[in-house]
Amino acid sequence: MGLFNWGQSQEDKQEYEALKSELATLENRLDAFLAKLNERVDALLSGFIEEAPSVMAEDDRFGQAYYRFSSAMKGQAGSMREKLREVLEKQIEPVYSRYSDTLSAGSEGYSILHEWRHRCARKADEWEEQLQHRVDEATEQVERKDYEPVFAQMMNDYWQQCQLINCRQCGANLNIKQVYYYSAYVACSHCQTQNIFEPGTIARDIEHTARKLAEQRSKHFMDAHERRKREERSLYQQMHELQLTLSMEERVKRSGPKYEQLLSLESKRLQAESEAPELLDRYYRNIFDELTKLLPDLEEHHEKFFKSLQANYQRYESKRSTNL
């Protein structure tokens, strides 16, 4: 009967065992490859965490050296991701295509082949997700800083600097009451002379540090957003695996214990899918609210920036279609 629909002949059994053996061998190779990639990731991230402090200590105020260092690390991680995708494309997919062209849909062999392909793809997806998580964790560990005292010190230094600025005409203190980020004309309250006030680098860094502090204060929203995204992906994966076990009758009638379980998973998935973008919106909204608290004179600028950013990320929101 051959590969189309195995029977009980010795030849059929041999073909069946040969298929299972080939698929198992390839999957074992994939597992070994993922293990080697994990070793490389361990070395990459441990080196990054160890060397980053010295890079940052010798960096300029713009952080260009650290940016290049961090980008190089992320580039190497991206190369590993590409190598994994190459393995799937050149070693897994060709085998799947070769057998799927000869196996009849619904046969035991086709089911084994389909599940094998899905299993390999899932392992790759999970590895990529874990890689991104580890890269993010390492980056956060290196960059972690409490910006509350940093910002407070910056503002204190700025106001102390302002107390030393006097009118070039009459010598009276200019009594500066707001944060200037760039050179500006400031009128003397005594003689009305226009003075050019140059705030220096500290003032230009204030806005950048305020943004970091606002992000730090809003991080719990982003963490919740990422959790809901992971939950949605996990539920979708569970649904996909459950769908593979449905009988033809359950698929047609859309009923039965497994189908009810599928509907329950879909309900939870839809909730997570709905909440994730809401949490992202709250994250950005909170960032700009915090920025306005820190730098109230830039409220109008912050609001325009938020609306522009919001329109951009909402444009790319997408939802899955499960067709249950």
Side-chain angles (χ1 to χ4, degrees):
M1 297 178 69
L3 290 175
F4 287 96
N5 192 11
W6 280 299
Q8 298 300 316
S9 70
Q10 189 64 29
E11 182 181 355
D12 290 338
K13 291 178 180 178
Q14 289 176 350
E15 290 177 342
Y16 177 67
E17 292 302 323
L19 171 66
K20 290 202 301 182
S21 176
E22 182 177 1
L23 299 185
T25 298
L26 285 171
E27 188 170 353
N28 288 337
R29 287 180 185 171
L30 176 62
D31 291 339
F33 181 66
L34 290 174
K36 288 182 179 179
L37 284 180
N38 282 331
E39 291 177 2
R40 291 183 58 190
V41 173
D42 291 342
L44 174 67
L45 296 183
S46 62
F48 172 72
I49 292 171
E50 182 179 344
E51 296 175 32
S54 61
V55 173
M56 297 171 79
E58 299 175 4
D59 208 354
D60 60 27
R61 58 185 288 268
F62 299 106
Q64 295 183 71
Y66 171 72
Y67 174 77
R68 291 191 295 270
F69 180 67
S70 175
S71 296
M73 178 274 289
K74 292 175 182 177
Q76 290 185 56
S79 295
M80 289 186 234
R81 185 182 290 110
E82 290 175 6
K83 287 184 181 296
L84 175 57
R85 286 295 153 188
E86 186 177 329
V87 167
L88 292 180
E89 292 173 7
K90 294 185 176 181
Q91 298 187 37
I92 302 299
E93 285 302 312
V95 173
Y96 173 78
S97 298
R98 173 159 52 89
Y99 280 114
S100 63
D101 289 340
T102 57
L103 293 169
S104 58
S107 67
E108 184 179 2
Y110 185 84
S111 177
I112 290 172
L113 179 68
H114 188 75
E115 290 175 7
W116 168 80
R117 182 202 195 194
H118 173 68
R119 197 163 54 247
C120 291
R122 186 179 71 240
K123 288 180 179 181
D125 289 342
E126 289 175 350
W127 184 87
E128 287 190 43
E129 185 174 335
Q130 185 63 22
L131 171 65
Q132 187 61 53
H133 179 67
R134 293 187 63 188
V135 167
D136 290 344
E137 271 195 337
T139 303
E140 183 180 349
Q141 179 180 336
V142 166
E143 297 178 359
R144 187 177 296 127
K145 182 189 294 186
D146 185 359
Y147 284 97
E148 295 284 356
V150 175
F151 181 77
Q153 184 62 51
M154 276 188 166
M155 293 302 295
N156 183 60
D157 292 345
Y158 175 82
W159 294 124
Q160 286 187 3
Q161 173 184 297
C162 290
Q163 291 175 10
L164 303 176
I165 306 300
N166 299 320
C167 176
R168 61 182 175 83
Q169 182 67 29
C170 69
N173 187 271
L174 288 181
N175 197 26
I176 295 171
K177 297 294 186 182
Q178 73 176 76
V179 177
Y180 291 96
Y181 307 98
Y182 303 97
S183 299
Y185 284 103
V186 179
C188 175
S189 59
H190 291 78
C191 68
Q192 307 307 313
T193 299
Q194 292 288 329
N195 293 263
I196 297 178
F197 173 54
E198 172 55 62
T201 59
I202 185 173
R204 288 194 289 271
D205 288 341
I206 282 176
E207 187 175 7
H208 173 73
T209 305
R211 174 63 184 260
K212 290 290 186 181
L213 177 54
E215 290 174 351
Q216 184 173 290
R217 290 178 176 179
S218 308
K219 187 176 181 297
H220 56 288
F221 288 118
M222 177 55 78
D223 291 342
H225 165 72
E226 293 294 341
R227 279 197 302 273
R228 295 306 271 161
K229 283 181 64 179
R230 288 194 296 271
E231 288 171 11
E232 191 278 333
R233 287 195 296 269
S234 175
L235 289 164
Y236 181 78
Q237 189 68 46
Q238 292 176 52
M239 289 175 62
H240 182 69
E241 292 174 359
L242 184 59
Q243 283 177 313
L244 293 176
T245 67
L246 291 176
S247 66
M248 186 61 69
E249 183 180 359
E250 287 173 316
R251 291 175 185 273
V252 173
K253 292 185 176 181
R254 298 191 174 189
S255 63
K258 288 184 179 179
Y259 197 82
E260 291 300 319
Q261 185 181 350
L262 198 61
L263 292 176
S264 176
L265 290 172
E266 171 68 349
S267 176
K268 295 176 183 177
R269 190 197 67 79
L270 287 173
Q271 183 177 356
E273 185 180 57
S274 173
E275 291 178 2
E278 293 175 2
L279 287 164
L280 183 64
D281 198 62
R282 291 175 68 184
Y283 169 70
Y284 285 117
R285 177 69 270 174
N286 200 71
I287 283 178
F288 288 98
D289 287 346
E290 291 292 341
L291 274 172
T292 297
K293 292 177 186 177
L294 296 167
L295 305 173
D297 51 305
L298 292 179
E299 180 176 5
E300 184 178 351
H301 168 72
H302 293 154
E303 195 61 28
K304 288 180 179 178
F305 192 6
F306 168 70
K307 289 181 178 178
S308 173
L309 182 64
Q310 184 184 50
N312 186 56
Y313 66 71
Q314 286 182 345
R315 185 182 303 122
Y316 295 101
E317 283 182 10
S318 61
K319 294 188 176 181
R320 301 183 197 268
S321 175
T322 54
N323 296 320
L324 291 182

